[in-house]
Amino acid sequence: HLIILQKCTRPTRLVDVAAELGLPIGVVRVLVGDLHAQQLVQVEHPPPAPDAKVLLEVISGLKAL
């Protein structure tokens, strides 16, 4: 937990923390969840991914180029 706190002094992606620590993302997610429950870190969820229709329109547009 302490190492995660030291690495997360500014916004950091969980995948980056996991890579630096050599731990699976699931383990880091649980550890950060523990820190969040203790109000030691803030967690921001990523914006939702675009729906499939938007992605298909982008692909069509790129193919048209």
Side-chain angles (χ1 to χ4, degrees):
H1 287 112
L2 181 59
I3 295 170
I4 292 173
L5 284 174
Q6 291 171 341
K7 294 195 175 294
C8 295
T9 57
R10 59 180 183 223
T12 308
R13 298 180 313 159
L14 286 182
V15 68
D16 293 334
V17 175
E20 286 185 37
L21 297 177
L23 294 173
I25 187 71
V27 171
V28 173
R29 188 175 286 129
V30 170
L31 294 172
V32 170
D34 294 344
L35 294 169
H36 181 1
Q38 296 173 34
Q39 298 181 344
L40 296 173
V41 295
Q42 292 179 343
V43 175
E44 293 183 20
H45 298 282
D51 64 13
K53 182 180 176 183
V54 172
L55 294 175
L56 290 173
E57 289 175 9
V58 170
I59 290 170
S60 287
L62 290 173
K63 286 181 180 178
L65 295 174

